[in-house]
Amino acid sequence: MSDEESGWHLTESDPGVFTELLKSLGVPYIVDDLYSLDPDSLAALQPIRALVFLFKWLPQSDTEPDPSLSSGSGAQYDPDFPGFFAHQVVNNACATLAVMNALGNIPSLPSGPQLQELFSFTTGMDAQTRGLVITSSDWLREAHNALSPPSAISLDGLGLPKTSEDAYHFIVYMPAMGCVYEFDGLKSHPIRHGVYEEKGEGWIAKAREVVEARIATYPQGSLEFSLLALREDPLPIIQSRLKQLQDAGRGNDSEAAELFVRLSNENSKRERWAFENSVRRHNHLGFIHALLVAMAKAGKLQPAAEGARTKMQERIARRKEVGMDLDE
C-alpha cells in the first residue's frame, strides 16, 4: 500500500519529530536519542517511561524463531493483557502507533482532550478495532504527517523499474503491571518479558537485558536499529529547582551552576529541534525549480546533468566490480 493509499507517511526516527508529536497530543513528555544502555547514561534521563526501538523489519516464515521471544527472559505472548494494545492496520503508521501503545499504558497520563477522548472511546475494544479507530482518526493522522509531508513528485506511471527498499518498524518496551512488556502492532498480542525488581534501576534493568538480547540478533557493528527514550520533560524540574536555589540565596553555588548547564543544553536541543522541524515542514519544490531554471539560463544545467550521469555510471561500474547489484 502506498503513502497515498494509506494516508500515513513515513516517520523519521528523530527525537525532535517524536517530541513534536507528543506536544500535538498535549503530552508534556519528550523523546531523546539513546546511544548507550549503561546505567549512568540511562540514569541521567530518568524518569524514563518507555523505550522506542526502531529496527529493520524482515519477513519471517513459520519455522523461523521469533526474535522477540529469544531474549532468554521467558518471554511469551500475553493474550489476556488488560491494558491498551492496538494493531497496526495500515502502512507507515507504526511510529504513532508505538507512541499510542506506550501512552495508553502510562497511569494518570497528562494529555490533551482529543487524546483523552480517543483512549476513552477505545476502552474495551480488541486490538484490531483499536488499530482501525486510531488510523481512522483524521486529527491524529494530520499530527503524524505534520513533519513528514508527502513527496511533491511522483514517479508512478513512468514505467521505471521497481527497486526494493528496506522496511523499518517501531516497537515499544515499557513497564506494565510489574513486568516489562513489548508492544508491537504487527504481533497478535503484547509480549511479556517477565517481572522486574522495584529496587535499583527498576524496570530499566530488565528492559536492558531484553533490548541487548534483541540487538545481539544483528550482525556485530550493525546500524540497522536505533533506540529512543520516552521521558518526562526535565525543563520544569530544572527551572523549579533553580528558582528554589535562587530564592534561598544559593544561585551561585555548584548545584545551581550544574543546573544552569543542564538548562542551557536542554534549551539548545529544543532550538535545534525547532529549526530541523521547520525545515521538514517547508516545501522545497519551489526553490528546486527556481535553482534549475537559473542553472539552465546560465548554461550550467546540461553540464551538471552530464556530470551526474557520469558519476552514476562510475558508481554502477564500481558496484559491479565488487559483485553488488544496484538494487541491493
Side-chain angles (χ1 to χ4, degrees), residues 46-64:
Q46 291 288 9
I48 298 175
R49 294 297 188 178
L51 300 177
V52 181
F53 187 64
L54 173 70
F55 63 94
K56 182 179 179 180
W57 181 85
L58 296 173
Q60 288 182 295
S61 67
D62 295 336
T63 58
E64 291 180 302

Side-chain angles (χ1 to χ4, degrees), residues 182-198:
E182 174 183 332
F183 298 110
D184 181 344
L186 296 180
K187 299 291 177 65
S188 57
H189 306 288
I191 297 175
R192 185 175 62 246
H193 286 280
V195 299
Y196 62 88
E197 296 183 1
E198 294 289 349

